[in-house]
Amino acid sequence: MGKGPFSFRRSSPRRRSKKPPSQSPLATPPPTIPGSLLENGGGGAATKAKKKTGGARLWMRVDRTGRSELVEWDKNTIIRHAAIPARDLRILGPVFSHSSNILARERAMVVNLEFIKAIVTAEEVLLLDPLRQEVLPFVEQLRLQLPFKNQPKLHGPADEQENEMQASIGRQWLPAPESAEGLQAELPFEFQVLEIALEVVCTFLDSSVADLERGAYPVLDELARNVSTKNLEHVRSLKSNLTRLLARVQKVRDEIEHLLDDNEDMAQLYLTRKWLQNQQFEAHSGATASNNLSNLRRLGSTRSGSFVTSNDDNDVEELEMLLEAYFMQLDGTRNKILSVREYIDDTEDYVNIQLDNHRNELIQLQLTLTIASFAIAVETLIAGAFGMNIPCELYEINNLFWPFVGSISAGCIFLFLIVWSYAKWKKLLGS
């Protein structure tokens, strides 16, 4: 019995010393997830890693050929990828969900128009919450229009080799423009995306105004025919919707007007032009600058005047024409809303006139009843005086009661007619 404890003490150190040092499986570092897997948004491990990462949101990347992919990126990834400040992501957040902003940055353009929240660069679009019902038409238009707008059009077989020159931008390829005779003038990629966004937003606002007009006029006509609590509630709801819609249209219109008033802000939106200028600067400073410079100058010579050198930095005619077109469309939408609001104001004025007329009729009726009450009160006074038990000689005359009552009643009626005629003469009573 005493041997057991000694054997335990002796064997315990030996067991500890013979045990090889090993690392706990819990301390093993987790396997790293490839960046391509995170970008493609697939795989169970990638999904778990994204769930652990806080602040990740769903984005859609659309390149200039219309190809798209869904990714889940956090704020830091977006800031590094698009080279934008953190405050721009707050503009795209839910706090500014109903604001409208078009901001120019060094390498990107931040677009916040109604439900469209995107970051546009010279090579791709990053679209926030692309699976929302309102955003799906914009995604569909990007996929349909971008491949055709960025497809080069050849002029002839002799120029085919030069026209197929492409400039590499990261993972994507930018088709080089041809000569003015060979290719129809096209907008830069960032303005193509901006045009599609403005088209979708303006179409949505136009359809909203059209739906509001279709529902507004029957409700207002019904209120003009019958002033009731139900109809008044319908008009109140209509005015609330109209005010909200007008504010939304006004915000987009004001943002476009702000850009049109400032040529410097419009010049900063030319992302492709700035990219080409950076390439020219690098070509000048490099050892093999001669060949690259000639290619880049030929690359920046045409495409509707947007791919230009640094001498044409203030040329914003393309963007100005684009914004003016949608500014006029939004102005027309705003005028439609104002016409509906004027019709509402006219209907309210008509209803107020009707109510004032009814109020005047009630006042005239009240005045007529007051005159009749005054005449009856005189007769009641005489009847009350004879109702007292005071001795009077008229009590002793036979057959005098009914003639006396008739004469008093006739006098009261005559008094009513006199006062009523006076009120008519003073125009206190209508005809």
Side-chain angles (χ1 to χ4, degrees):
M1 293 295 292
K3 193 176 181 178
F6 290 101
S7 63
F8 176 76
R9 293 194 195 100
R10 292 174 184 174
S11 61
S12 177
R14 286 199 299 269
R15 288 177 184 173
R16 290 196 198 98
S17 60
K18 289 181 180 180
K19 186 177 181 180
S22 62
Q23 192 176 5
S24 174
L26 296 178
T28 305
T32 58
I33 301 173
S36 60
L37 186 60
L38 287 175
E39 291 179 359
N40 294 330
T47 305
K48 293 179 181 179
K50 292 173 196 171
K51 289 182 179 179
K52 293 179 182 179
T53 305
R57 303 184 67 179
L58 183 63
W59 296 77
M60 175 177 283
R61 299 177 61 186
V62 184
D63 61 5
R64 59 178 58 252
T65 62
R67 292 176 299 180
S68 62
E69 62 174 351
L70 292 175
V71 295
E72 282 191 12
W73 285 347
D74 56 2
K75 292 183 179 180
N76 296 327
T77 306
I78 293 294
I79 291 173
R80 289 193 304 267
H81 184 81
I84 59 174
R87 63 177 180 272
D88 290 342
L89 291 181
R90 289 194 291 269
I91 293 176
L92 298 179
V95 178
F96 300 91
S97 58
H98 295 291
S99 62
S100 296
N101 305 97
I102 301 176
L103 304 177
R105 296 296 179 256
E106 183 62 28
R107 291 172 48 192
M109 174 172 56
V110 181
V111 178
N112 182 19
L113 296 175
E114 287 292 316
F115 45 83
I116 297 178
K117 304 178 184 301
I119 301 173
V120 186
T121 63
E123 59 178 343
E124 65 179 2
V125 186
L126 297 176
L127 182 61
L128 181 61
D129 295 334
L131 301 182
R132 289 179 55 187
Q133 190 66 29
E134 302 89 350
V135 187
L136 290 179
F138 177 62
V139 176
E140 188 67 22
Q141 290 299 321
L142 287 177
R143 291 174 176 173
L144 291 177
Q145 297 187 28
L146 288 182
F148 294 99
K149 289 186 176 183
N150 293 279
Q151 183 178 5
K153 302 176 184 178
L154 300 180
H155 176 61
D159 301 332
E160 182 175 357
Q161 184 177 1
E162 179 181 359
N163 293 334
E164 287 181 351
M165 181 187 64
Q166 295 179 338
S168 175
I169 312 178
R171 292 166 48 191
Q172 309 298 334
W173 291 86
L174 172 65
E178 304 111 61
S179 60
E181 297 116 356
L183 175 64
Q184 185 181 0
E186 299 245 355
L187 290 172
F189 172 72
E190 61 271 14
F191 294 159
Q192 294 175 11
V193 176
L194 180 61
E195 182 182 12
I196 296 174
L198 289 173
E199 181 182 358
V200 171
V201 171
C202 291
T203 302
F204 174 78
L205 294 176
D206 279 337
S207 62
S208 300
V209 173
D211 295 340
L212 189 64
E213 282 183 328
R214 284 193 295 268
Y217 292 114
V219 171
L220 295 174
D221 294 339
E222 180 65 23
L223 178 64
R225 289 191 298 266
N226 180 21
V227 181
S228 62
T229 304
K230 181 179 179 180
N231 293 335
L232 289 174
E233 180 63 25
H234 289 167
V235 174
R236 186 198 64 80
S237 177
L238 176 65
K239 288 189 67 176
S240 300
N241 296 334
L242 187 70
T243 302
R244 286 194 294 267
L245 186 57
L246 179 60
R248 295 169 66 181
V249 174
Q250 189 69 36
K251 288 178 182 178
V252 181
R253 178 181 176 274
D254 291 343
E255 182 62 24
I256 295 178
E257 186 178 10
H258 171 72
L259 288 176
L260 289 173
D261 292 339
D262 196 338
N263 289 339
E264 293 183 1
D265 288 347
M266 286 193 290
Q268 291 297 322
L269 293 176
Y270 280 78
L271 304 178
T272 306
R273 174 191 293 172
K274 292 190 290 185
W275 176 84
L276 289 171
Q277 292 174 358
N278 293 333
Q279 294 295 321
Q280 288 179 354
F281 178 77
E282 293 176 0
H284 275 295
S285 60
T288 59
S290 57
N291 293 332
N292 294 333
L293 183 60
S294 60
N295 292 335
L296 288 170
R297 281 179 178 174
R298 190 160 59 247
L299 179 66
S301 59
T302 55
R303 186 159 291 227
S304 188
S306 62
F307 300 102
V308 292
T309 58
S310 59
N311 296 329
D312 296 329
D313 285 348
N314 295 325
D315 184 13
V316 293
E317 183 179 359
E318 283 181 336
L319 181 57
E320 188 174 4
M321 294 176 62
L322 172 65
L323 295 178
E324 281 180 353
Y326 288 100
F327 177 80
M328 295 176 62
Q329 183 175 353
L330 288 170
D331 200 47
T333 304
R334 176 175 172 270
N335 292 334
K336 290 180 182 179
I337 298 177
L338 294 179
S339 64
V340 176
R341 191 164 71 175
E342 289 178 358
Y343 192 82
I344 293 177
D345 294 339
D346 294 341
T347 305
E348 288 181 345
D349 293 340
Y350 176 72
V351 170
N352 289 331
I353 291 173
Q354 280 188 330
L355 294 177
D356 292 340
N357 185 36
H358 293 328
R359 194 178 297 110
N360 292 335
E361 290 178 355
L362 289 175
I363 293 174
Q364 292 178 8
L365 177 61
Q366 183 179 4
L367 180 59
T368 303
L369 293 177
T370 302
I371 296 173
S373 300
F374 172 73
I376 296 174
V378 173
E379 185 176 7
T380 305
L381 176 63
I382 298 175
F386 280 96
M388 298 179 183
N389 294 323
I390 300 175
C392 182
E393 295 180 356
L394 295 177
Y395 295 155
E396 299 177 358
I397 301 175
N398 296 327
N399 300 325
L400 184 62
F401 177 76
W402 292 112
F404 183 78
V405 172
S407 61
I408 293 177
S409 299
C412 292
I413 294 174
F414 181 72
L415 179 62
F416 169 77
L417 293 176
I418 291 176
V419 178
W420 186 78
S421 300
Y422 176 79
K424 293 278 290 184
W425 176 64
K426 288 293 184 178
K427 298 182 179 180
L428 299 177
L429 294 174
S431 57

